[in-house]
């Protein structure tokens, strides 16, 4: 229903709207807001089919299933990542025009509520997000989550100018993307005899309402009561609202009881009334009508919204509040009174003066009522629908003009946390085991040099650029993996052994050429990056002993792995002419096979694409850089660009060559089985290409390949498992391989560490990247 003399709204262009957030009867401010907003939209725009995807508490907080109304058509368990993916499928299949997200860090699972991004990344329709909290100093995880949330959102709604300013300054969100829409309210007309019905007839009533938690600062009002009662002994302070469910689950009624005890010590308990329940709108209207002054003594200065303060001001109540962000905006221009935080004497002074000055109270009430008309739910609903229509138009225009689909150009990826649980589960006192059944190590398959070399490379990369906590967590692992690699080396033959049984017996006297090359790569990284002198010395001796054998090899991949090791080694010893000479010989050999194999339509090193393909151009790129060989650099970029072009699928997601048949020249590319090692290699090669050339397209290619792990792939299934920290063994035509072996897990973790390092260095920052210009497309 429309308010006042405003004309009825025009028909909306959207017909199906989904809202994501908490919903009543769940008891919290976000649930009330989502319920009221959806009610208002349906009332103002009967032609819109509005449904709600509701967030449910997890664990001990959820003691029963909420009895939701029919409007709630899908429920998400906040801690279950799979539940978010199912919700994305529900929204996509039902073809909603817009999804409106109510965002508060605490209602979504994962660190800083990051699980919601799993859902939003997969949506095909525009997203409009209302931000209920903006932090002026977010930590690193909060910043990454908010940055991607804003990038995924076509429009962002803020309820105050101060919040919009913070969003622009802290998260660099452009003003053109922000809509300012006030918190909606229902203005209840004053009712007669409210004080009689509430049993406070003849009293001066102070009111605070909302869910109780220790950050509400109610103790400061209680501390002010002795001074207030001395001047106005007829005063009653009513605290209306149940304890917040999360606070109650963790600490019971400790906070409420502490307030009761405080009032008893101060001798004001007879002037304090607790109504311990979550009240209906009609009950709230009764209490507001009875109140003379409404007080929000909140302690958190960064609070961006307050539905309770909005309702009070919109209802024409005189409000006294601490100066948190939302209060500063809402009570400006004489619409209320601000007092310092944690300052009971200031509260007492203002309340005493207001109760004694009827004229001052009347003036504040008039200004509050006038402002409240713009906050009524019908007006707010119309503003939201206008934002939805803008989002839909902008989304359509973006799709028409996008360079590719681009999800990765428009929607950046937030990096998962570094979770080494499965790595440690797969590692025993000998080294890392090869295979797993689901996430359970398979002892019968034993160990291999390949995986222990990968693991050594991983922990060395972590030590080189990780946090102090990360470095501490892998120190023992680094020693163990290096010991395995050292034990695998046969100094008399100058070769490594590869396969070891669980009973610690070598299955072969001489391993594969590729495993030898991978060992050299890991050893070179230890020499070039490790801060441990003993490890560097041992790795250097092994490196020098094993490098000459590679010149006798015929495998281009073994050459490439060895060249990656040479590049790492030269980080520390750039003047080692012997290593340079052997590296130069290998690089020339790799370049020569490209010259002999490639043509205009097949710029590649062999007549087939098989496995670890991206490591070939990566090796030439890095070798060309330290050798200052322009032909090598050019060939590396040309072959990598072609590889990127053939490793795509519908929607332009990364789709590596399948291992079930590979890709022979002149034949069809095998679509499956797609392997994590391919995505990992592509991430690293593209990041090196961007670092060496500065071309933005390579950063986008790296993000595209990394997103394959997170579900942006042919099957739209996550290959990385955040619950275990492991990585599934690939994608079959109909499903993901649920086993989480060493190669797959190490491939994901190395790619993650590479992306984190690039993010720190600024080479592939995870921020929105605009569609490339024509000149960039040619780079």
């Amino acid at each position: 229903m429309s308010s006042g003399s405003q004309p009825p709204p025009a028909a909306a262009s959207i017909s199906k709207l989904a809202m994501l957030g908490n919903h009543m009867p769940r008891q919290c401010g976000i649930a009330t807001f989502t319920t009221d907003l959806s009610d208002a939209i349906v009332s103002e725009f009967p032609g819109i089919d509005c449904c709600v995807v509701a967030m449910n508490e997890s664990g001990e907080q959820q003691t029963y299933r909420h009895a939701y109304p029919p409007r709630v058509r899908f429920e998400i368990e906040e801690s279950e990542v799979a539940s978010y993916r199912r919700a994305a499928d529900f929204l996509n299949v039902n073809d909603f025009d817009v999804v409106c997200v109510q965002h508060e860090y605490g209602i979504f699972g994962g660190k800083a509520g990051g699980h919601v991004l799993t859902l939003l990344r997969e949506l095909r329709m525009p997203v409009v997000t209302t931000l209920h909290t903006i932090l002026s100093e977010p930590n690193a995880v909060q910043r990454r989550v908010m940055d991607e949330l804003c990038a995924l959102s076509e429009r962002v709604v803020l309820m105050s100018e101060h919040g919009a300013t913070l969003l622009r300054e802290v998260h660099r969100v452009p003003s053109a993307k922000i809509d300012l829409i006030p918190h909606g309210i229902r203005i209840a007309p004053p009712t007669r005899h409210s004080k009689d019905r509430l049993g406070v007839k003849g009293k001066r009533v102070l009111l605070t309402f909302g869910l109780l938690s220790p950050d509400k600062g109610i103790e400061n009002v209680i501390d002010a009561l002795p001074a207030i009662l001395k001047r106005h002994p007829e005063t009653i302070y009513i605290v209306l609202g149940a304890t917040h469910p999360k606070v109650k689950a963790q600490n019971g009624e400790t906070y409420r009881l502490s307030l009761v005890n405080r009032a008893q010590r101060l001798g004001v308990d007879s002037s304090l009334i607790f109504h311990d329940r979550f009240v209906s709108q009609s009950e709230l209207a009764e209490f507001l009508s009875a109140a003379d002054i409404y007080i929000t003594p909140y302690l958190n200065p960064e609070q961006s919204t307050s539905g309770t303060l909005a309702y009070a001001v919109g209802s024409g109540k005189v409000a006294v509040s601490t100066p948190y962000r939302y209060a500063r905006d809402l009570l400006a221009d004489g619409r209320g009174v601000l007092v310092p935080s944690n300052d009971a004497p200031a509260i007492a002074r203002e309340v005493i003066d207001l109760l004694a000055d009827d004229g001052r109270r009347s003036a504040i009430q008039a200004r509050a009522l006038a402002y409240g008309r713009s906050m009524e739910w019908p007006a707010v609903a119309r503003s939201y629908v206008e934002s939805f229509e803008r989002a839909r138009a902008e989304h359509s225009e973006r799709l028409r003009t996008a360079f590719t689909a681009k999800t990765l150009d428009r929607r950046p990826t937030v990096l998962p946390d570094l979770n080494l649980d499965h790595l440690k589960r797969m590692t025993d006192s000998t080294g890392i085991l090869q295979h797993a059944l689901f996430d359970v190590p398979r002892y019968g398959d034993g160990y291999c040099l390949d995986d222990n070399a990968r693991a050594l490379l991983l922990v060395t990369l972590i030590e080189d650029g990780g946090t102090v906590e990360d470095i501490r967590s892998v120190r023992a692992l680094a020693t163990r993996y290096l010991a395995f690699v050292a034990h695998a080396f046969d100094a008399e033959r100058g070769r490594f052994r590869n396969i070891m049984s669980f009973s610690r017996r070598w299955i072969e006297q001489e391993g594969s050429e590729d495993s030898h090359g991978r060992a050299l790569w890991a050893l070179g990284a230890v020499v070039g990056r490790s801060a441990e002198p003993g490890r560097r010395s041992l790795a250097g001796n092994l490196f020098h002993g094993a490098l000459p054998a590679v010149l006798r090899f015929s495998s281009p991949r073994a050459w490439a792995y060895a060249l990656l090791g040479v590049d790492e080694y030269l980080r520390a010893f750039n003047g080692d002419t012997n290593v340079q000479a052997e590296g130069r010989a290998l690089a020339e050999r790799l370049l020569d096979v490209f010259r002999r194999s490639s043509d205009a339509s097949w710029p590649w090193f062999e007549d087939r694409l098989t496995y670890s393909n991206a490591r070939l151009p990566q090796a030439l790129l890095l070798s060309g850089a330290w050798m200052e060989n322009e032909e090598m650099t050019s060939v590396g970029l040309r072959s990598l660009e072609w590889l990127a072009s053939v490793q795509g699928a519908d929607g332009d997601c990364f789709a590596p060559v399948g291992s079930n048949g590979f890709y022979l020249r002149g034949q069809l590319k095998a679509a499956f089985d797609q392997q994590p090692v391919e995505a990992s290699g592509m991430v690293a090669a593209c990041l090196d290409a961007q670092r060496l050339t500065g071309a933005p397209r390579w950063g986008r290619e790296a993000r595209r390949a990394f997103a394959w792990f997170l579900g942006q792939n042919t099957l739209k299934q996550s290959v990385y498992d955040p619950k275990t920290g492991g990585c599934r063994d690939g994608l079959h035509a109909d499903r993901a391989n649920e086993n989480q072996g060493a190669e797959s897990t190490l491939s994901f973790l190395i790619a993650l560490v590479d992306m984190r390092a690039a993010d720190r260095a600024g080479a592939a920052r995870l921020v929105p990247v605009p569609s490339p210009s024509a000149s960039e497309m040619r780079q």
Side-chain angles (χ1 to χ4, degrees), residues 40 45 71 168 207 209 270 310 342 355 367 384 422 434 454 476 578 619-620 641 653 663 770 773:
F45 299 89
R71 184 174 297 154
R168 289 190 292 265
L207 174 66
F209 75 87
S270 61
N342 269 319
L355 291 177
R367 287 189 286 268
Y384 266 94
H422 190 56
Q434 287 191 76
R454 289 188 181 99
N578 288 333
L620 269 193
E641 185 170 8
C653 64
Y663 183 17
S773 64

PDB file of all heavy atoms in Angstrom, residues 40 45 71 168 207 209 270 310 342 355 367 384 422 434 454 476 578 619-620 641 653 663 770 773:
ATOM      1  N   ALA A  40       6.873  -5.706   2.071  1.00  0.00           N
ATOM      2  CA  ALA A  40       6.607  -4.390   1.467  1.00  0.00           C
ATOM      3  C   ALA A  40       6.655  -4.460  -0.052  1.00  0.00           C
ATOM      4  O   ALA A  40       5.847  -3.830  -0.748  1.00  0.00           O
ATOM      5  CB  ALA A  40       7.617  -3.372   1.990  1.00  0.00           C
ATOM      6  N   PHE A  45       4.116  -4.134  -5.113  1.00  0.00           N
ATOM      7  CA  PHE A  45       4.233  -4.654  -6.476  1.00  0.00           C
ATOM      8  C   PHE A  45       3.645  -6.074  -6.521  1.00  0.00           C
ATOM      9  O   PHE A  45       4.393  -7.063  -6.508  1.00  0.00           O
ATOM     10  CB  PHE A  45       5.693  -4.675  -6.928  1.00  0.00           C
ATOM     11  CG  PHE A  45       6.353  -3.321  -6.959  1.00  0.00           C
ATOM     12  CD1 PHE A  45       6.990  -2.818  -5.833  1.00  0.00           C
ATOM     13  CD2 PHE A  45       6.313  -2.546  -8.103  1.00  0.00           C
ATOM     14  CE1 PHE A  45       7.590  -1.571  -5.849  1.00  0.00           C
ATOM     15  CE2 PHE A  45       6.914  -1.299  -8.138  1.00  0.00           C
ATOM     16  CZ  PHE A  45       7.543  -0.797  -7.012  1.00  0.00           C
ATOM     17  N   ARG A  71       6.612 -18.300   1.678  1.00  0.00           N
ATOM     18  CA  ARG A  71       7.528 -17.482   0.878  1.00  0.00           C
ATOM     19  C   ARG A  71       8.951 -18.017   0.943  1.00  0.00           C
ATOM     20  O   ARG A  71       9.746 -17.824   0.013  1.00  0.00           O
ATOM     21  CB  ARG A  71       7.486 -16.028   1.348  1.00  0.00           C
ATOM     22  CG  ARG A  71       8.336 -15.095   0.493  1.00  0.00           C
ATOM     23  CD  ARG A  71       8.156 -13.647   0.899  1.00  0.00           C
ATOM     24  NE  ARG A  71       6.785 -13.225   0.693  1.00  0.00           N
ATOM     25  CZ  ARG A  71       6.184 -12.231   1.372  1.00  0.00           C
ATOM     26  NH1 ARG A  71       6.847 -11.590   2.300  1.00  0.00           N
ATOM     27  NH2 ARG A  71       4.941 -11.911   1.115  1.00  0.00           N
ATOM     28  N   ARG A 168      33.411   3.395  -0.265  1.00  0.00           N
ATOM     29  CA  ARG A 168      34.241   3.992  -1.315  1.00  0.00           C
ATOM     30  C   ARG A 168      35.704   4.059  -0.889  1.00  0.00           C
ATOM     31  O   ARG A 168      36.607   3.743  -1.670  1.00  0.00           O
ATOM     32  CB  ARG A 168      33.725   5.393  -1.657  1.00  0.00           C
ATOM     33  CG  ARG A 168      32.407   5.415  -2.412  1.00  0.00           C
ATOM     34  CD  ARG A 168      32.089   6.819  -2.916  1.00  0.00           C
ATOM     35  NE  ARG A 168      31.799   7.744  -1.839  1.00  0.00           N
ATOM     36  CZ  ARG A 168      30.577   8.038  -1.388  1.00  0.00           C
ATOM     37  NH1 ARG A 168      29.525   7.465  -1.940  1.00  0.00           N
ATOM     38  NH2 ARG A 168      30.401   8.890  -0.407  1.00  0.00           N
ATOM     39  N   LEU A 207      13.110   3.713  27.098  1.00  0.00           N
ATOM     40  CA  LEU A 207      12.968   2.421  26.427  1.00  0.00           C
ATOM     41  C   LEU A 207      14.211   2.085  25.621  1.00  0.00           C
ATOM     42  O   LEU A 207      14.760   2.932  24.902  1.00  0.00           O
ATOM     43  CB  LEU A 207      11.752   2.435  25.492  1.00  0.00           C
ATOM     44  CG  LEU A 207      11.541   1.200  24.604  1.00  0.00           C
ATOM     45  CD1 LEU A 207      11.208  -0.032  25.447  1.00  0.00           C
ATOM     46  CD2 LEU A 207      10.438   1.454  23.576  1.00  0.00           C
ATOM     47  N   PHE A 209      15.020  -1.324  23.049  1.00  0.00           N
ATOM     48  CA  PHE A 209      14.528  -2.635  22.611  1.00  0.00           C
ATOM     49  C   PHE A 209      15.461  -3.238  21.577  1.00  0.00           C
ATOM     50  O   PHE A 209      16.239  -2.535  20.925  1.00  0.00           O
ATOM     51  CB  PHE A 209      13.082  -2.566  22.106  1.00  0.00           C
ATOM     52  CG  PHE A 209      12.895  -1.959  20.740  1.00  0.00           C
ATOM     53  CD1 PHE A 209      12.981  -2.738  19.597  1.00  0.00           C
ATOM     54  CD2 PHE A 209      12.602  -0.617  20.596  1.00  0.00           C
ATOM     55  CE1 PHE A 209      12.787  -2.187  18.339  1.00  0.00           C
ATOM     56  CE2 PHE A 209      12.410  -0.059  19.345  1.00  0.00           C
ATOM     57  CZ  PHE A 209      12.494  -0.832  18.214  1.00  0.00           C
ATOM     58  N   SER A 270      13.932  -1.401  41.269  1.00  0.00           N
ATOM     59  CA  SER A 270      12.483  -1.189  41.229  1.00  0.00           C
ATOM     60  C   SER A 270      12.070  -0.275  40.088  1.00  0.00           C
ATOM     61  O   SER A 270      10.882  -0.196  39.749  1.00  0.00           O
ATOM     62  CB  SER A 270      12.000  -0.607  42.555  1.00  0.00           C
ATOM     63  OG  SER A 270      12.617   0.659  42.801  1.00  0.00           O
ATOM     64  N   ALA A 310      15.960   3.119  13.913  1.00  0.00           N
ATOM     65  CA  ALA A 310      15.156   3.585  12.789  1.00  0.00           C
ATOM     66  C   ALA A 310      13.667   3.579  13.141  1.00  0.00           C
ATOM     67  O   ALA A 310      12.940   4.550  12.864  1.00  0.00           O
ATOM     68  CB  ALA A 310      15.411   2.700  11.564  1.00  0.00           C
ATOM     69  N   ASN A 342      30.067   4.837  26.523  1.00  0.00           N
ATOM     70  CA  ASN A 342      30.540   4.479  27.863  1.00  0.00           C
ATOM     71  C   ASN A 342      30.555   5.677  28.803  1.00  0.00           C
ATOM     72  O   ASN A 342      31.474   5.828  29.612  1.00  0.00           O
ATOM     73  CB  ASN A 342      31.949   3.864  27.799  1.00  0.00           C
ATOM     74  CG  ASN A 342      31.916   2.365  27.650  1.00  0.00           C
ATOM     75  OD1 ASN A 342      31.103   1.705  28.287  1.00  0.00           O
ATOM     76  ND2 ASN A 342      32.795   1.823  26.822  1.00  0.00           N
ATOM     77  N   LEU A 355      13.618  15.418  29.870  1.00  0.00           N
ATOM     78  CA  LEU A 355      12.389  15.201  30.623  1.00  0.00           C
ATOM     79  C   LEU A 355      11.863  16.497  31.227  1.00  0.00           C
ATOM     80  O   LEU A 355      10.646  16.652  31.454  1.00  0.00           O
ATOM     81  CB  LEU A 355      12.617  14.162  31.722  1.00  0.00           C
ATOM     82  CG  LEU A 355      12.851  12.720  31.252  1.00  0.00           C
ATOM     83  CD1 LEU A 355      13.143  11.813  32.446  1.00  0.00           C
ATOM     84  CD2 LEU A 355      11.656  12.197  30.465  1.00  0.00           C
ATOM     85  N   ARG A 367      10.787  16.930  14.073  1.00  0.00           N
ATOM     86  CA  ARG A 367      11.805  16.696  13.044  1.00  0.00           C
ATOM     87  C   ARG A 367      11.946  15.198  12.747  1.00  0.00           C
ATOM     88  O   ARG A 367      12.132  14.802  11.601  1.00  0.00           O
ATOM     89  CB  ARG A 367      13.141  17.296  13.492  1.00  0.00           C
ATOM     90  CG  ARG A 367      13.185  18.824  13.431  1.00  0.00           C
ATOM     91  CD  ARG A 367      14.589  19.355  13.677  1.00  0.00           C
ATOM     92  NE  ARG A 367      14.963  19.257  15.070  1.00  0.00           N
ATOM     93  CZ  ARG A 367      14.792  20.214  15.974  1.00  0.00           C
ATOM     94  NH1 ARG A 367      14.229  21.370  15.620  1.00  0.00           N
ATOM     95  NH2 ARG A 367      15.168  20.054  17.234  1.00  0.00           N
ATOM     96  N   TYR A 384      14.007   0.057  -3.594  1.00  0.00           N
ATOM     97  CA  TYR A 384      14.681  -1.215  -3.860  1.00  0.00           C
ATOM     98  C   TYR A 384      14.352  -1.741  -5.252  1.00  0.00           C
ATOM     99  O   TYR A 384      15.237  -2.216  -5.979  1.00  0.00           O
ATOM    100  CB  TYR A 384      14.301  -2.253  -2.800  1.00  0.00           C
ATOM    101  CG  TYR A 384      15.285  -2.317  -1.665  1.00  0.00           C
ATOM    102  CD1 TYR A 384      15.082  -1.580  -0.498  1.00  0.00           C
ATOM    103  CD2 TYR A 384      16.429  -3.097  -1.743  1.00  0.00           C
ATOM    104  CE1 TYR A 384      15.995  -1.626   0.558  1.00  0.00           C
ATOM    105  CE2 TYR A 384      17.349  -3.154  -0.708  1.00  0.00           C
ATOM    106  CZ  TYR A 384      17.123  -2.413   0.441  1.00  0.00           C
ATOM    107  OH  TYR A 384      18.034  -2.450   1.462  1.00  0.00           O
ATOM    108  N   HIS A 422      44.938 -32.159   5.058  1.00  0.00           N
ATOM    109  CA  HIS A 422      45.027 -33.409   4.293  1.00  0.00           C
ATOM    110  C   HIS A 422      46.475 -33.719   3.935  1.00  0.00           C
ATOM    111  O   HIS A 422      46.879 -34.903   3.908  1.00  0.00           O
ATOM    112  CB  HIS A 422      44.176 -33.318   3.031  1.00  0.00           C
ATOM    113  CG  HIS A 422      44.023 -34.634   2.326  1.00  0.00           C
ATOM    114  ND1 HIS A 422      43.516 -35.752   2.951  1.00  0.00           N
ATOM    115  CD2 HIS A 422      44.323 -35.029   1.053  1.00  0.00           C
ATOM    116  CE1 HIS A 422      43.493 -36.765   2.102  1.00  0.00           C
ATOM    117  NE2 HIS A 422      43.991 -36.347   0.952  1.00  0.00           N
ATOM    118  N   GLN A 434      51.248 -41.929  -1.754  1.00  0.00           N
ATOM    119  CA  GLN A 434      50.799 -41.568  -3.099  1.00  0.00           C
ATOM    120  C   GLN A 434      49.296 -41.329  -3.197  1.00  0.00           C
ATOM    121  O   GLN A 434      48.856 -40.317  -3.736  1.00  0.00           O
ATOM    122  CB  GLN A 434      51.151 -42.683  -4.096  1.00  0.00           C
ATOM    123  CG  GLN A 434      52.601 -42.816  -4.455  1.00  0.00           C
ATOM    124  CD  GLN A 434      52.778 -43.756  -5.631  1.00  0.00           C
ATOM    125  OE1 GLN A 434      52.509 -43.384  -6.765  1.00  0.00           O
ATOM    126  NE2 GLN A 434      53.222 -44.975  -5.356  1.00  0.00           N
ATOM    127  N   ARG A 454      57.144 -32.869  -5.216  1.00  0.00           N
ATOM    128  CA  ARG A 454      56.102 -31.831  -5.242  1.00  0.00           C
ATOM    129  C   ARG A 454      55.870 -31.255  -3.843  1.00  0.00           C
ATOM    130  O   ARG A 454      55.695 -30.052  -3.664  1.00  0.00           O
ATOM    131  CB  ARG A 454      54.795 -32.409  -5.784  1.00  0.00           C
ATOM    132  CG  ARG A 454      54.778 -32.741  -7.262  1.00  0.00           C
ATOM    133  CD  ARG A 454      53.367 -33.125  -7.688  1.00  0.00           C
ATOM    134  NE  ARG A 454      53.291 -33.486  -9.091  1.00  0.00           N
ATOM    135  CZ  ARG A 454      53.281 -34.744  -9.549  1.00  0.00           C
ATOM    136  NH1 ARG A 454      53.334 -35.761  -8.683  1.00  0.00           N
ATOM    137  NH2 ARG A 454      53.211 -34.992 -10.843  1.00  0.00           N
ATOM    138  N   ALA A 476      58.882 -28.992   9.917  1.00  0.00           N
ATOM    139  CA  ALA A 476      59.197 -30.419  10.061  1.00  0.00           C
ATOM    140  C   ALA A 476      58.909 -31.180   8.774  1.00  0.00           C
ATOM    141  O   ALA A 476      59.647 -32.115   8.415  1.00  0.00           O
ATOM    142  CB  ALA A 476      58.396 -31.012  11.221  1.00  0.00           C
ATOM    143  N   ASN A 578      78.546 -23.262 -14.579  1.00  0.00           N
ATOM    144  CA  ASN A 578      78.298 -24.661 -14.947  1.00  0.00           C
ATOM    145  C   ASN A 578      76.797 -24.935 -15.039  1.00  0.00           C
ATOM    146  O   ASN A 578      76.326 -25.565 -15.993  1.00  0.00           O
ATOM    147  CB  ASN A 578      78.945 -25.600 -13.929  1.00  0.00           C
ATOM    148  CG  ASN A 578      80.453 -25.633 -14.037  1.00  0.00           C
ATOM    149  OD1 ASN A 578      81.006 -25.378 -15.115  1.00  0.00           O
ATOM    150  ND2 ASN A 578      81.134 -25.950 -12.943  1.00  0.00           N
ATOM    151  N   ALA A 619      58.786 -23.212 -18.879  1.00  0.00           N
ATOM    152  CA  ALA A 619      60.234 -23.403 -18.808  1.00  0.00           C
ATOM    153  C   ALA A 619      60.964 -22.537 -19.839  1.00  0.00           C
ATOM    154  O   ALA A 619      62.016 -21.958 -19.546  1.00  0.00           O
ATOM    155  CB  ALA A 619      60.577 -24.884 -19.024  1.00  0.00           C
ATOM    156  N   LEU A 620      60.396 -22.440 -21.058  1.00  0.00           N
ATOM    157  CA  LEU A 620      61.035 -21.586 -22.068  1.00  0.00           C
ATOM    158  C   LEU A 620      60.949 -20.113 -21.701  1.00  0.00           C
ATOM    159  O   LEU A 620      61.901 -19.352 -21.921  1.00  0.00           O
ATOM    160  CB  LEU A 620      60.392 -21.813 -23.430  1.00  0.00           C
ATOM    161  CG  LEU A 620      61.005 -22.873 -24.346  1.00  0.00           C
ATOM    162  CD1 LEU A 620      60.452 -22.740 -25.757  1.00  0.00           C
ATOM    163  CD2 LEU A 620      62.529 -22.792 -24.375  1.00  0.00           C
ATOM    164  N   GLU A 641      49.855 -19.120 -25.240  1.00  0.00           N
ATOM    165  CA  GLU A 641      48.613 -18.512 -25.726  1.00  0.00           C
ATOM    166  C   GLU A 641      47.766 -19.543 -26.470  1.00  0.00           C
ATOM    167  O   GLU A 641      46.542 -19.606 -26.297  1.00  0.00           O
ATOM    168  CB  GLU A 641      48.944 -17.335 -26.637  1.00  0.00           C
ATOM    169  CG  GLU A 641      47.708 -16.577 -27.099  1.00  0.00           C
ATOM    170  CD  GLU A 641      48.072 -15.285 -27.802  1.00  0.00           C
ATOM    171  OE1 GLU A 641      49.275 -15.061 -28.071  1.00  0.00           O
ATOM    172  OE2 GLU A 641      47.159 -14.496 -28.083  1.00  0.00           O
ATOM    173  N   CYS A 653      35.010 -21.419 -19.239  1.00  0.00           N
ATOM    174  CA  CYS A 653      35.711 -21.910 -18.061  1.00  0.00           C
ATOM    175  C   CYS A 653      36.927 -22.720 -18.518  1.00  0.00           C
ATOM    176  O   CYS A 653      37.017 -23.160 -19.664  1.00  0.00           O
ATOM    177  CB  CYS A 653      34.794 -22.773 -17.201  1.00  0.00           C
ATOM    178  SG  CYS A 653      34.222 -24.295 -18.010  1.00  0.00           S
ATOM    179  N   TYR A 663      45.135 -35.253 -26.609  1.00  0.00           N
ATOM    180  CA  TYR A 663      44.762 -34.470 -27.785  1.00  0.00           C
ATOM    181  C   TYR A 663      45.846 -34.652 -28.834  1.00  0.00           C
ATOM    182  O   TYR A 663      46.913 -34.052 -28.757  1.00  0.00           O
ATOM    183  CB  TYR A 663      44.604 -33.002 -27.388  1.00  0.00           C
ATOM    184  CG  TYR A 663      44.144 -32.076 -28.500  1.00  0.00           C
ATOM    185  CD1 TYR A 663      43.547 -32.553 -29.673  1.00  0.00           C
ATOM    186  CD2 TYR A 663      44.300 -30.693 -28.374  1.00  0.00           C
ATOM    187  CE1 TYR A 663      43.129 -31.693 -30.664  1.00  0.00           C
ATOM    188  CE2 TYR A 663      43.872 -29.825 -29.353  1.00  0.00           C
ATOM    189  CZ  TYR A 663      43.294 -30.316 -30.502  1.00  0.00           C
ATOM    190  OH  TYR A 663      42.868 -29.450 -31.496  1.00  0.00           O
ATOM    191  N   PRO A 770      38.401  -4.868 -15.574  1.00  0.00           N
ATOM    192  CA  PRO A 770      37.457  -4.479 -16.618  1.00  0.00           C
ATOM    193  C   PRO A 770      37.680  -5.257 -17.887  1.00  0.00           C
ATOM    194  O   PRO A 770      38.743  -5.846 -18.102  1.00  0.00           O
ATOM    195  CB  PRO A 770      37.771  -2.983 -16.812  1.00  0.00           C
ATOM    196  CG  PRO A 770      39.196  -2.842 -16.378  1.00  0.00           C
ATOM    197  CD  PRO A 770      39.386  -3.819 -15.259  1.00  0.00           C
ATOM    198  N   SER A 773      40.602  -3.795 -23.466  1.00  0.00           N
ATOM    199  CA  SER A 773      40.484  -2.972 -24.655  1.00  0.00           C
ATOM    200  C   SER A 773      40.978  -3.746 -25.869  1.00  0.00           C
ATOM    201  O   SER A 773      41.531  -4.838 -25.758  1.00  0.00           O
ATOM    202  CB  SER A 773      41.334  -1.704 -24.481  1.00  0.00           C
ATOM    203  OG  SER A 773      42.703  -2.074 -24.387  1.00  0.00           O
TER     204      SER A 773
END
